[in-house]
């Protein structure tokens, strides 16, 4: 389970969200909603451990979190297969045969990643999630650059593979992924006092 209690998060030294308390049980997804700038990315980065919280705390199984942002985490000079093998080696996993079809990249295995289209790079970047096999996924607009078919493929992976096997997903998205997920509107948690964070905040 992901458990969040009275969490406050900051961007650029100012608190943007406060008073967040929620749980996400194993096998379930939480969709974050709110206008641009409300703090969706900041919340995801904080939960993923990439920046400190201002107040409160959160908990999930150690070493089981993974964050995917707008960047694809693709090494342009390597082939598609070499990219996935790179991540598999880091996490001590194998690239399962199913991964190639789950993300529709089987025909791209020998292509140099730098020659891929934006959508193809995005599918390759998301396929990394299927290779590292982390239980708690923090996903920031994961369907950027994907066409409708690829969005459905990714939603199928989340529902039928990740969540079905007890995983958790917290997703900032404006796209309907057709998941049985709880929605959390963040605007009511917008901080009103704009407290200054005393930490070394580098994310703007």
């Amino acid at each position: 389970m992901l458990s969040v209690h009275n969490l406050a998060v900051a961007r650029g030294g100012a608190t943007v969200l406060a008073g967040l308390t929620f749980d996400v049980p194993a096998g379930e997804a939480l969709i974050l909603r709110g206008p641009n700038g409300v703090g969706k990315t900041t919340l995801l980065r904080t939960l993923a451990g990439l920046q400190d919280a201002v107040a409160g705390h959160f908990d999930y199984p150690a070493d089981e979190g993974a964050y995917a942002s707008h960047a694809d985490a693709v090494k342009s000079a390597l082939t598609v297969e070499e990219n996935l093998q790179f991540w598999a080696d880091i996490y001590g996993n194998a690239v399962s045969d199913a991964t190639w079809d789950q993300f529709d990249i089987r025909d791209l295995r020998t292509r140099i990643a730098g020659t891929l289209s934006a959508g193809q790079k995005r599918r390759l970047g998301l396929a990394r999630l299927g290779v590292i096999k982390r239980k708690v996924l923090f996903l920031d607009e994961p369907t950027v650059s994907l066409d409708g078919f690829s969005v459905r493929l990714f939603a199928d992976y989340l529902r039928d593979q990740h969540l079905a096997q007890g995983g958790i997903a917290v997703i900032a998205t404006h796209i309907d992924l057709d998941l049985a997920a709880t929605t959390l509107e963040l605007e009511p948690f917008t901080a009103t006092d704009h407290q200054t964070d005393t930490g070394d905040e580098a994310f703007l």
Side-chain angles (χ1 to χ4, degrees):
M1 174 184 288
L2 166 65
S3 180
V4 177
H5 180 71
N6 200 29
L7 189 68
V9 300
R11 178 179 63 239
T15 302
V16 291
L17 295 170
L20 286 158
T21 296
F22 58 86
D23 294 325
V24 187
E28 295 191 13
L30 177 69
I31 305 296
L32 304 179
R33 300 284 196 199
N36 291 340
V38 75
K40 297 185 294 293
T41 294
T42 302
L43 174 58
L44 289 171
R45 285 175 53 87
T46 302
L47 292 175
L50 300 178
Q51 62 184 73
D52 293 333
V54 174
H57 63 270
F58 57 89
D59 182 66
Y60 54 86
D63 298 323
E64 285 293 351
Y67 173 71
S69 69
H70 299 169
D72 295 319
V74 168
K75 295 185 176 297
S76 298
L78 300 181
T79 66
V80 167
E81 187 165 19
E82 289 169 340
N83 266 276
L84 286 192
Q85 192 60 54
F86 170 83
W87 288 107
D89 291 344
I90 286 179
Y91 286 86
N93 297 325
V95 180
S96 69
D97 188 64
T99 300
W100 303 104
D101 295 322
Q102 287 168 348
F103 297 91
D104 191 28
I105 54 174
R106 184 177 295 277
D107 292 342
L108 304 175
R109 292 177 73 150
T110 61
R111 286 272 301 275
I112 299 297
T115 69
L116 301 177
S117 70
Q120 290 169 335
K121 286 180 181 177
R122 192 62 176 167
R123 296 204 308 273
L124 172 56
L126 292 173
R128 171 176 58 97
L129 301 175
V131 169
I132 66 177
K133 303 184 188 305
R134 290 295 179 96
K135 288 290 187 181
V136 187
L137 301 182
F138 302 105
L139 308 175
D140 193 359
E141 298 292 351
T143 59
V144 168
S145 300
L146 294 184
D147 59 20
F149 173 75
S150 298
V151 169
R152 290 191 296 274
L153 275 183
F154 180 60
D156 289 346
Y157 166 76
L158 284 179
R159 181 181 56 253
D160 301 336
Q161 299 297 319
H162 181 70
L163 299 177
Q165 295 174 11
I168 290 170
V170 182
I171 313 166
T173 181
H174 297 286
I175 301 296
D176 182 6
L177 295 176
D178 194 26
L179 300 175
T182 301
T183 297
L184 177 62
E185 295 286 349
L186 292 181
E187 198 164 13
F189 298 96
T190 301
T192 57
D193 54 0
H194 298 290
Q195 302 169 13
T196 300
D197 182 11
T198 58
D200 183 15
E201 174 63 80
F203 177 67
L204 300 175

PDB file of all heavy atoms in Angstrom, residues 85-95 131-133:
ATOM      1  N   GLN A  85      17.785  -3.667 -22.664  1.00  0.00           N
ATOM      2  CA  GLN A  85      18.742  -4.529 -21.977  1.00  0.00           C
ATOM      3  C   GLN A  85      19.558  -3.734 -20.963  1.00  0.00           C
ATOM      4  O   GLN A  85      19.923  -4.251 -19.899  1.00  0.00           O
ATOM      5  CB  GLN A  85      19.670  -5.205 -22.989  1.00  0.00           C
ATOM      6  CG  GLN A  85      20.510  -6.333 -22.384  1.00  0.00           C
ATOM      7  CD  GLN A  85      19.638  -7.436 -21.815  1.00  0.00           C
ATOM      8  OE1 GLN A  85      18.770  -7.978 -22.506  1.00  0.00           O
ATOM      9  NE2 GLN A  85      19.855  -7.772 -20.546  1.00  0.00           N
ATOM     10  N   PHE A  86      19.837  -2.479 -21.276  1.00  0.00           N
ATOM     11  CA  PHE A  86      20.553  -1.596 -20.346  1.00  0.00           C
ATOM     12  C   PHE A  86      19.797  -1.506 -19.019  1.00  0.00           C
ATOM     13  O   PHE A  86      20.365  -1.692 -17.942  1.00  0.00           O
ATOM     14  CB  PHE A  86      20.710  -0.209 -20.969  1.00  0.00           C
ATOM     15  CG  PHE A  86      21.212   0.839 -20.016  1.00  0.00           C
ATOM     16  CD1 PHE A  86      22.560   0.968 -19.753  1.00  0.00           C
ATOM     17  CD2 PHE A  86      20.324   1.712 -19.391  1.00  0.00           C
ATOM     18  CE1 PHE A  86      23.028   1.937 -18.863  1.00  0.00           C
ATOM     19  CE2 PHE A  86      20.775   2.686 -18.507  1.00  0.00           C
ATOM     20  CZ  PHE A  86      22.129   2.793 -18.249  1.00  0.00           C
ATOM     21  N   TRP A  87      18.483  -1.240 -19.096  1.00  0.00           N
ATOM     22  CA  TRP A  87      17.688  -1.126 -17.883  1.00  0.00           C
ATOM     23  C   TRP A  87      17.530  -2.471 -17.194  1.00  0.00           C
ATOM     24  O   TRP A  87      17.546  -2.554 -15.954  1.00  0.00           O
ATOM     25  CB  TRP A  87      16.322  -0.524 -18.207  1.00  0.00           C
ATOM     26  CG  TRP A  87      16.425   0.935 -18.534  1.00  0.00           C
ATOM     27  CD1 TRP A  87      16.306   1.528 -19.752  1.00  0.00           C
ATOM     28  CD2 TRP A  87      16.704   1.994 -17.611  1.00  0.00           C
ATOM     29  NE1 TRP A  87      16.492   2.884 -19.653  1.00  0.00           N
ATOM     30  CE2 TRP A  87      16.728   3.196 -18.351  1.00  0.00           C
ATOM     31  CE3 TRP A  87      16.911   2.034 -16.236  1.00  0.00           C
ATOM     32  CZ2 TRP A  87      16.973   4.432 -17.755  1.00  0.00           C
ATOM     33  CZ3 TRP A  87      17.150   3.271 -15.634  1.00  0.00           C
ATOM     34  CH2 TRP A  87      17.179   4.437 -16.386  1.00  0.00           C
ATOM     35  N   ALA A  88      17.387  -3.534 -17.973  1.00  0.00           N
ATOM     36  CA  ALA A  88      17.269  -4.868 -17.386  1.00  0.00           C
ATOM     37  C   ALA A  88      18.526  -5.221 -16.594  1.00  0.00           C
ATOM     38  O   ALA A  88      18.443  -5.765 -15.482  1.00  0.00           O
ATOM     39  CB  ALA A  88      17.019  -5.902 -18.477  1.00  0.00           C
ATOM     40  N   ASP A  89      19.690  -4.898 -17.128  1.00  0.00           N
ATOM     41  CA  ASP A  89      20.952  -5.199 -16.447  1.00  0.00           C
ATOM     42  C   ASP A  89      21.080  -4.412 -15.150  1.00  0.00           C
ATOM     43  O   ASP A  89      21.551  -4.943 -14.128  1.00  0.00           O
ATOM     44  CB  ASP A  89      22.136  -4.885 -17.360  1.00  0.00           C
ATOM     45  CG  ASP A  89      22.246  -5.839 -18.538  1.00  0.00           C
ATOM     46  OD1 ASP A  89      21.604  -6.911 -18.487  1.00  0.00           O
ATOM     47  OD2 ASP A  89      22.954  -5.507 -19.508  1.00  0.00           O
ATOM     48  N   ILE A  90      20.660  -3.144 -15.157  1.00  0.00           N
ATOM     49  CA  ILE A  90      20.757  -2.321 -13.957  1.00  0.00           C
ATOM     50  C   ILE A  90      19.916  -2.906 -12.827  1.00  0.00           C
ATOM     51  O   ILE A  90      20.336  -2.942 -11.661  1.00  0.00           O
ATOM     52  CB  ILE A  90      20.320  -0.869 -14.254  1.00  0.00           C
ATOM     53  CG1 ILE A  90      21.406  -0.153 -15.069  1.00  0.00           C
ATOM     54  CG2 ILE A  90      20.038  -0.097 -12.956  1.00  0.00           C
ATOM     55  CD1 ILE A  90      21.055   1.272 -15.415  1.00  0.00           C
ATOM     56  N   TYR A  91      18.722  -3.391 -13.160  1.00  0.00           N
ATOM     57  CA  TYR A  91      17.807  -3.895 -12.136  1.00  0.00           C
ATOM     58  C   TYR A  91      17.891  -5.408 -11.945  1.00  0.00           C
ATOM     59  O   TYR A  91      17.141  -5.974 -11.150  1.00  0.00           O
ATOM     60  CB  TYR A  91      16.375  -3.490 -12.480  1.00  0.00           C
ATOM     61  CG  TYR A  91      16.117  -2.031 -12.221  1.00  0.00           C
ATOM     62  CD1 TYR A  91      16.420  -1.070 -13.187  1.00  0.00           C
ATOM     63  CD2 TYR A  91      15.601  -1.594 -11.012  1.00  0.00           C
ATOM     64  CE1 TYR A  91      16.210   0.286 -12.952  1.00  0.00           C
ATOM     65  CE2 TYR A  91      15.386  -0.247 -10.759  1.00  0.00           C
ATOM     66  CZ  TYR A  91      15.687   0.683 -11.733  1.00  0.00           C
ATOM     67  OH  TYR A  91      15.482   2.025 -11.487  1.00  0.00           O
ATOM     68  N   GLY A  92      18.797  -6.050 -12.677  1.00  0.00           N
ATOM     69  CA  GLY A  92      18.979  -7.482 -12.507  1.00  0.00           C
ATOM     70  C   GLY A  92      17.816  -8.313 -13.009  1.00  0.00           C
ATOM     71  O   GLY A  92      17.540  -9.396 -12.480  1.00  0.00           O
ATOM     72  N   ASN A  93      17.142  -7.801 -14.032  1.00  0.00           N
ATOM     73  CA  ASN A  93      15.992  -8.500 -14.594  1.00  0.00           C
ATOM     74  C   ASN A  93      16.269  -8.935 -16.031  1.00  0.00           C
ATOM     75  O   ASN A  93      17.264  -8.534 -16.629  1.00  0.00           O
ATOM     76  CB  ASN A  93      14.753  -7.603 -14.575  1.00  0.00           C
ATOM     77  CG  ASN A  93      14.341  -7.225 -13.171  1.00  0.00           C
ATOM     78  OD1 ASN A  93      14.471  -8.027 -12.245  1.00  0.00           O
ATOM     79  ND2 ASN A  93      13.851  -6.007 -12.996  1.00  0.00           N
ATOM     80  N   ALA A  94      15.349  -9.728 -16.566  1.00  0.00           N
ATOM     81  CA  ALA A  94      15.409 -10.112 -17.972  1.00  0.00           C
ATOM     82  C   ALA A  94      14.341  -9.333 -18.732  1.00  0.00           C
ATOM     83  O   ALA A  94      13.340  -8.905 -18.163  1.00  0.00           O
ATOM     84  CB  ALA A  94      15.184 -11.606 -18.121  1.00  0.00           C
ATOM     85  N   VAL A  95      14.568  -9.127 -20.022  1.00  0.00           N
ATOM     86  CA  VAL A  95      13.553  -8.520 -20.881  1.00  0.00           C
ATOM     87  C   VAL A  95      12.633  -9.642 -21.351  1.00  0.00           C
ATOM     88  O   VAL A  95      13.031 -10.475 -22.159  1.00  0.00           O
ATOM     89  CB  VAL A  95      14.195  -7.806 -22.094  1.00  0.00           C
ATOM     90  CG1 VAL A  95      13.104  -7.177 -22.959  1.00  0.00           C
ATOM     91  CG2 VAL A  95      15.196  -6.760 -21.639  1.00  0.00           C
ATOM     92  N   VAL A 131      10.242  -3.546 -17.693  1.00  0.00           N
ATOM     93  CA  VAL A 131      11.516  -4.240 -17.501  1.00  0.00           C
ATOM     94  C   VAL A 131      12.021  -4.101 -16.061  1.00  0.00           C
ATOM     95  O   VAL A 131      12.505  -5.064 -15.471  1.00  0.00           O
ATOM     96  CB  VAL A 131      12.574  -3.703 -18.485  1.00  0.00           C
ATOM     97  CG1 VAL A 131      13.961  -4.220 -18.135  1.00  0.00           C
ATOM     98  CG2 VAL A 131      12.207  -4.095 -19.908  1.00  0.00           C
ATOM     99  N   ILE A 132      11.869  -2.907 -15.478  1.00  0.00           N
ATOM    100  CA  ILE A 132      12.409  -2.704 -14.132  1.00  0.00           C
ATOM    101  C   ILE A 132      11.525  -3.328 -13.055  1.00  0.00           C
ATOM    102  O   ILE A 132      11.989  -3.600 -11.958  1.00  0.00           O
ATOM    103  CB  ILE A 132      12.646  -1.213 -13.840  1.00  0.00           C
ATOM    104  CG1 ILE A 132      11.332  -0.438 -13.795  1.00  0.00           C
ATOM    105  CG2 ILE A 132      13.594  -0.614 -14.877  1.00  0.00           C
ATOM    106  CD1 ILE A 132      11.512   1.024 -13.431  1.00  0.00           C
ATOM    107  N   LYS A 133      10.240  -3.518 -13.369  1.00  0.00           N
ATOM    108  CA  LYS A 133       9.330  -4.282 -12.502  1.00  0.00           C
ATOM    109  C   LYS A 133       9.195  -3.697 -11.100  1.00  0.00           C
ATOM    110  O   LYS A 133       9.133  -4.445 -10.108  1.00  0.00           O
ATOM    111  CB  LYS A 133       9.767  -5.751 -12.424  1.00  0.00           C
ATOM    112  CG  LYS A 133       9.853  -6.436 -13.781  1.00  0.00           C
ATOM    113  CD  LYS A 133      10.181  -7.904 -13.631  1.00  0.00           C
ATOM    114  CE  LYS A 133      10.456  -8.563 -14.974  1.00  0.00           C
ATOM    115  NZ  LYS A 133       9.393  -8.404 -15.931  1.00  0.00           N
TER     116      LYS A 133
END
